[in-house]
Amino acid sequence: MNAYRAKPLKYPWPPMLYLTSILTAILAGRIAALAPIPSPHPLLLPSIGFAIALIAVTLDIWAVRTLMERQTPVLDSGCARYLVTCGPFRYSRNPIYLGYTLFTVALGLMSGNSWFFVAALVSLAATRLLAIPSEERHLEARFGFDYEHYRKRTRRWF
């Protein structure tokens, strides 16, 4: 594949997809609340949600820092300069999207709004369909065999 043809995305879809789904979940929760999430203790689910949110934010910060240290664009609309396979990218090919998804789930647990779980699934599916194929074509065109080897040994999510 020609590296010129396999350009990165022109628009950073994933952050906007997740932001839109979070705002939609908030609105949907106000208009048509789903059944509440059962919990044996009133603080259990918010506490679990808070812990997941901390993990998600930490994962995103680690991933962004790793990209910046390697002088690689954080937004998927920039052309990759290096194939980053260290830090969280050692364990997941998409740690930032994983962090976004975990954070959306955490918001659902903290707020008790079940629409956040729907939002997380929809955003994950949309990211998988709209952003990831283009990113993977771009990385394969730029880094060839190195990217193929990385893709074979590193899972997409975890």
Side-chain angles (χ1 to χ4, degrees), residues 16-76:
M16 295 310 297
L17 288 170
Y18 280 91
L19 179 61
T20 301
S21 71
I22 287 170
L23 294 175
T24 303
I26 292 169
L27 183 62
R30 291 180 185 213
I31 294 172
L34 295 176
I37 306 163
S39 175
H41 189 275
L43 293 179
L44 179 63
L45 292 179
S47 298
I48 292 170
F50 185 74
I52 292 172
L54 282 177
I55 291 168
V57 169
T58 301
L59 179 61
D60 277 347
I61 290 170
W62 185 22
V64 167
R65 185 172 177 204
T66 302
L67 290 174
M68 291 175 71
E69 286 172 353
R70 304 303 182 280
Q71 301 173 349
T72 298
V74 174
L75 294 177
D76 49 7

Side-chain angles (χ1 to χ4, degrees), residues 3-141:
Y4 177 76
R5 288 184 169 182
K7 293 181 180 180
L9 295 172
K10 291 184 180 185
Y11 186 76
W13 284 108
M16 295 310 297
L17 288 170
Y18 280 91
L19 179 61
T20 301
S21 71
I22 287 170
L23 294 175
T24 303
I26 292 169
L27 183 62
R30 291 180 185 213
I31 294 172
L34 295 176
I37 306 163
S39 175
H41 189 275
L43 293 179
L44 179 63
L45 292 179
S47 298
I48 292 170
F50 185 74
I52 292 172
L54 282 177
I55 291 168
V57 169
T58 301
L59 179 61
D60 277 347
I61 290 170
W62 185 22
V64 167
R65 185 172 177 204
T66 302
L67 290 174
M68 291 175 71
E69 286 172 353
R70 304 303 182 280
Q71 301 173 349
T72 298
V74 174
L75 294 177
D76 49 7
S77 57
C79 188
R81 298 172 95 183
Y82 301 102
L83 179 61
V84 179
T85 61
C86 58
F89 296 93
R90 183 178 326 135
Y91 309 105
S92 169
R93 294 194 319 258
N94 301 108
I96 294 174
Y97 303 154
L98 178 61
Y100 291 167
T101 304
L102 289 173
F103 189 76
T104 306
V105 168
L107 289 174
L109 291 171
M110 288 188 293
S111 68
N113 181 348
S114 299
W115 284 108
F116 281 103
F117 304 118
V118 175
L121 289 173
V122 169
S123 296
L124 187 65
T127 298
R128 174 68 181 94
L129 293 172
L130 293 174
I132 291 176
S134 175
E135 291 175 3
E136 288 183 341
R137 281 191 304 272
H138 170 70
L139 292 171
E140 187 174 5

